């Protein structure tokens, strides 16, 4: 056993740190965006009745089931028209509006008794107050499970950065390992272990919420 590869990676490989911070700058906004956008959408699906709700929900399910390879070309055209190709926003924006967190949080919001929301409404609370002061606290397990799953997914993502990012200076850490060659194979294991630490900490913190989210996503309506 020798720490040579770790020393070489941490002290003599500045691109590793650049990619590490690139991952942080991409993953954290994605997770925050999924909560800001996804939580109100999930609450609306779970508690409101509106025209086209069922059709829109089916559309969400279909989009959730589509792999990236199916939507890759259309995503590229849209992002290119917006001038976002080769910027971190090409990763952040599609990730922030992902449909899976909405699907996941619906299950938890739907479990909140209707009597509680009706009582809050009778007390004079408006829909936003009900959502913020009742829905969010009671739906915290679902929100945190979405955070854990979202972080694990986008911390290790490969296809989106390879498709939308051309400049290596904005590559995330997930694209560092494919650049490993036989000449520096020792760095591969060191980089893998260091790259594993943040997801491992997130997983340990949110393990029970992750289990609840997996159980909820397998429940039938």
């Amino acid at each position: 056993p020798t720490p040579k590869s770790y020393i070489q990676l941490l002290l003599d490989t500045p691109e590793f740190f650049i990619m590490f911070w690139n991952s942080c700058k991409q993953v954290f906004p994605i997770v925050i965006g999924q909560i800001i956008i996804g939580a109100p959408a999930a609450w609306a699906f779970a508690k409101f009745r509106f025209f086209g709700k069922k059709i829109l929900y089916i559309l969400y399910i279909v989009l959730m089931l589509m792999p990236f390879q199916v939507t890759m070309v259309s995503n590229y055209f849209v992002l290119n028209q917006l001038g976002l190709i080769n910027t971190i926003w090409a990763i952040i924006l599609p990730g922030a509006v992902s449909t899976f967190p909405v699907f996941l949080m619906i299950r938890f919001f739907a479990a909140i008794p209707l009597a509680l929301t009706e009582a809050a409404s009778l007390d004079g609370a408006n829909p936003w107050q009900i959502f913020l002061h009742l829905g969010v606290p009671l739906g915290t397990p679902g929100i945190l499970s979405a955070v854990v799953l979202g972080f694990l997914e986008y911390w290790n993502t490969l296809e989106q950065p390879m498709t939308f990012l051309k400049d290596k200076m904005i590559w995330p850490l997930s694209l560092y390992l494919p650049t490993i060659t036989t000449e520096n194979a020792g760095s591969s294991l060191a980089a893998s272990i260091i790259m594993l630490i943040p997801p491992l900490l997130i997983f340990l913190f949110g393990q029970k919420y992750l289990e609840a989210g997996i159980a909820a996503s397998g429940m039938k309506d």
Side-chain angles (χ1 to χ4, degrees):
T2 172
K4 179 180 178 181
S5 295
Y6 290 95
I7 295 174
Q8 180 181 0
L9 184 69
L10 296 176
L11 299 182
D12 300 329
T13 314
E15 61 268 22
F16 179 82
F17 288 98
I18 293 174
M19 289 185 171
F20 181 88
W21 290 115
N22 287 341
S23 289
C24 294
K25 289 188 290 186
Q26 293 172 23
V27 174
F28 286 107
I30 287 175
V31 173
I32 294 172
Q34 287 181 345
I35 301 306
I36 293 176
I37 298 172
W43 179 260
F45 275 121
K47 296 301 181 184
F48 293 161
R49 293 182 181 180
F50 52 90
F51 177 77
K53 173 182 174 180
K54 189 172 183 180
I55 296 176
L56 186 59
Y57 182 70
I58 293 174
L59 178 62
Y60 259 72
I61 301 300
V62 171
L63 291 174
M64 182 187 71
L65 295 175
M66 284 186 178
F68 173 72
Q69 293 82 357
V70 175
T71 60
M72 177 177 63
V73 176
S74 58
N75 282 346
Y76 187 92
F77 285 149
V78 171
L79 292 170
N80 188 50
Q81 287 293 324
L82 295 174
L84 298 178
I85 293 296
N86 202 32
T87 70
I88 62 173
W89 294 105
I91 307 299
I92 294 174
L93 292 181
V97 296
S98 175
T99 56
F100 180 70
V102 178
F103 170 78
L104 186 63
M105 287 184 282
I106 286 175
R107 307 295 176 141
F108 291 87
F109 287 145
I112 298 175
L114 184 61
L116 289 178
T117 58
E118 290 178 344
S121 179
L122 290 175
D123 287 338
N126 61 45
W128 272 110
Q129 290 174 327
I130 295 174
F131 168 67
L132 293 175
H133 298 288
L134 188 63
V136 171
L138 295 179
T140 296
I143 295 174
L144 291 180
S145 65
V147 168
V148 174
L149 288 172
F151 185 92
L152 295 178
E153 176 183 0
Y154 286 96
W155 183 263
N156 298 304
T157 187
L158 281 172
E159 294 171 321
Q160 291 91 331
M162 291 180 67
T163 304
F164 301 141
L165 303 181
K166 301 175 184 178
D167 186 358
K168 291 185 178 181
M169 293 302 295
I170 58 175
W171 275 10
L173 193 57
S174 56
L175 294 186
Y176 179 79
L177 294 183
T179 65
I180 297 294
T181 62
T182 55
E183 287 75 16
N184 59 351
S187 299
S188 177
L189 179 60
S192 299
I193 293 177
I194 295 174
M195 185 178 175
L196 178 64
I197 293 175
L200 181 61
L201 295 176
I202 293 292
F203 176 79
L204 293 176
F205 166 75
Q207 182 178 4
K208 63 178 181 180
Y209 302 111
L210 178 61
E211 293 172 354
I214 294 174
S217 64
M219 294 171 59
K220 295 182 179 180
D221 288 328

